[in-house]
Amino acid sequence: MKDNRSVNRILSILELISKHPDGLTLGEIYRTLDMPKATAYDFLQTLYKADAIYYKDPFRKTYVIGSKMYAIGSVYTKNSNFITTSAPLLKEFSDEHGCNSFVTKRIGNDKIVFVHTYQSPNSQIVSPMDVGTVYNSFLDTHIGRCYAAFDKKIQPSIKLNEEEVTEILNQGYVMELSGDLNHVVNIAIPIYNFENRCCGVVSYAALHTSAEDTNKLAKHFLEVGDLISRRLGYLGEYCDY
């Protein structure tokens, strides 16, 4: 079936605006998207009238995401089994260990979006990722490399070196140190569903203390991930094929 060009253009406008919390003008939007000015204006007016976007600055007429999109997003959050299953377990894990946790979904072969985040009040670090944050690379982050290693749908197009793949598959997770002093340890693991496929990646960020503590925490996190997958209907080693 042929893609509807108008729908694709509207989605591209919404995606672009969502990445700029301070807002974008008509000129910035149509030039960035290489779209005719009149076409962009018509789409923006339609979205504005539907409360999908609004003017953050009425004088400069800078557009930001509106209440309609937040309402739609909240329905997705409420109805998503992946989020509702993951969130309470990740909260319990994060509060126990004083860390921050994240739920992500893959969009096509080039984007990762954060659909749930939780920062424990006991955490000693601040993570900049909010719901709606988008990563545009699978190879530059621990979360992206986790998808590349475990998600069979993107493996043909996203290549990791064989040594890294072997290491990731053996340990079951991807680890990355971050921060100015490498003081934050980030762990990402795949989550599977009833179709026995990787339906997302969850991760946590914690203060890095020692390799021994990291290994213990990662082992516990793998147990949490396994429980999430089981609750989503994943059969794992019990499959008949």
Side-chain angles (χ1 to χ4, degrees):
M1 183 175 66
K2 186 177 180 180
D3 289 345
N4 186 295
R5 190 180 184 189
S6 293
V7 172
N8 288 335
R9 283 181 162 180
I10 289 174
L11 290 174
S12 68
I13 288 174
L14 289 171
E15 184 176 357
L16 177 63
I17 293 174
S18 70
K19 297 176 182 177
H20 295 82
D22 291 330
L24 292 173
T25 64
L26 167 62
E28 291 170 329
I29 292 169
Y30 80 76
R31 282 192 291 269
T32 300
L33 297 177
D34 193 22
M35 186 182 299
K37 181 178 180 180
T39 300
Y41 177 79
D42 288 343
F43 287 148
L44 288 168
Q45 288 304 300
T46 300
L47 292 169
Y48 179 80
K49 291 176 182 178
D51 291 326
I53 58 176
Y54 72 98
Y55 294 132
K56 183 168 186 177
D57 184 338
F59 299 100
R60 293 184 60 235
K61 293 190 175 180
T62 49
Y63 296 95
V64 293
I65 293 297
S67 59
K68 177 66 69 66
M69 300 311 299
Y70 281 113
I72 293 173
S74 67
V75 171
Y76 167 77
T77 299
K78 182 179 179 179
N79 293 334
S80 170
N81 286 337
F82 180 34
I83 297 174
T84 55
T85 300
S86 302
L89 295 173
L90 293 177
K91 179 181 184 300
E92 182 179 351
F93 173 87
S94 297
D95 286 342
E96 178 180 349
H97 298 289
C99 59
N100 307 328
S101 54
F102 315 93
V103 180
T104 71
K105 294 282 288 183
R106 172 175 59 82
I107 304 175
N109 288 346
D110 61 348
K111 291 182 180 64
I112 300 164
V113 62
F114 286 72
V115 295
H116 175 77
T117 66
Y118 176 73
Q119 178 158 322
S120 170
N122 304 320
S123 176
Q124 300 180 53
I125 60 174
V126 176
S127 301
M129 289 75 71
D130 296 318
V131 171
T133 297
V134 175
Y135 284 168
N136 293 304
S137 172
F138 282 87
L139 297 181
D140 295 341
T141 69
H142 58 294
I143 293 174
R145 293 197 300 279
C146 189
Y147 277 105
F150 293 101
D151 191 337
K152 294 181 179 179
K153 285 195 173 183
I154 65 168
Q155 284 173 351
S157 58
I158 308 295
K159 296 293 184 181
L160 294 172
N161 67 68
E162 292 185 9
E163 290 184 2
E164 184 173 11
V165 171
T166 299
E167 179 182 0
I168 291 172
L169 295 180
N170 285 340
Q171 63 188 12
Y173 60 85
V174 178
M175 185 191 78
E176 179 179 87
L177 295 178
S178 63
D180 295 337
L181 302 174
N182 282 338
H183 65 291
V184 177
V185 60
N186 306 278
I187 299 287
I189 61 173
I191 300 298
Y192 298 91
N193 64 7
F194 64 94
E195 297 176 316
N196 297 314
R197 66 176 181 83
C198 176
C199 63
V201 166
V202 298
S203 68
Y204 74 81
L207 194 65
H208 181 51
T209 53
S210 68
E212 181 180 3
D213 288 343
T214 293
N215 291 334
K216 288 181 180 178
L217 197 56
K219 182 178 179 180
H220 185 192
F221 197 54
L222 285 170
E223 294 171 354
V224 173
D226 182 67
L227 181 55
I228 295 171
S229 294
R230 297 292 179 185
R231 290 186 177 181
L232 291 175
Y234 177 58
L235 300 177
E237 62 190 53
Y238 304 108
C239 290
D240 294 328
Y241 56 91

